[in-house]
Amino acid sequence: MSQTERESSEAEPRLRILVVDDDPLVRRMIRDVLRPAGMLVVGEAHDGRDAIRAARYYKPDIILLDVVLPGVDGITALEQMVADEQVDAKI
């Protein structure tokens, strides 16, 4: 990578990611894959209710959302986040 490429990549804002999965090992694996790619995992959640709260709090650019979650499932959480004006992330 040239000096110019390195400087421009350092100046670019990193993608802010929220990872939602009920399995801590899966969340860790996703985090371990995203970090070297220059993405920032700003938060994690283990169920749909926490996902909604975390999306409002962390204001991520992207939410990686598991569908099968305890309590509020991923589909219901998705519907609520899409309808929520405080959440402006790609899901």
Side-chain angles (χ1 to χ4, degrees):
M1 181 182 292
S2 72
Q3 179 70 21
T4 306
E5 290 173 325
R6 193 174 315 126
E7 288 173 359
S8 69
S9 68
E10 290 173 0
E12 294 175 15
R14 294 168 49 176
L15 280 176
R16 299 168 40 84
I17 314 264
L18 172 64
V19 178
V20 183
D21 197 292
D22 56 322
D23 187 335
L25 180 60
V26 171
R27 291 194 310 264
R28 181 175 154 213
M29 289 186 328
I30 292 171
R31 203 174 48 240
D32 290 348
V33 168
L34 296 176
R35 187 171 295 141
M39 297 179 201
L40 177 64
V41 175
V42 293
E44 298 179 13
H46 69 280
D47 64 27
R49 187 176 320 278
D50 283 345
I52 296 164
R53 285 189 206 126
R56 289 176 181 154
Y57 180 79
Y58 292 112
K59 308 282 189 215
D61 300 310
I62 297 172
I63 301 172
L64 300 179
L65 179 64
D66 187 13
V67 175
V68 180
L69 296 169
V72 176
D73 65 42
I75 299 297
T76 303
L78 171 66
E79 292 169 344
Q80 292 178 14
M81 284 188 266
V82 167
D84 191 327
E85 292 182 9
Q86 295 181 45
V87 178
D88 188 33
K90 302 294 182 203
I91 307 169

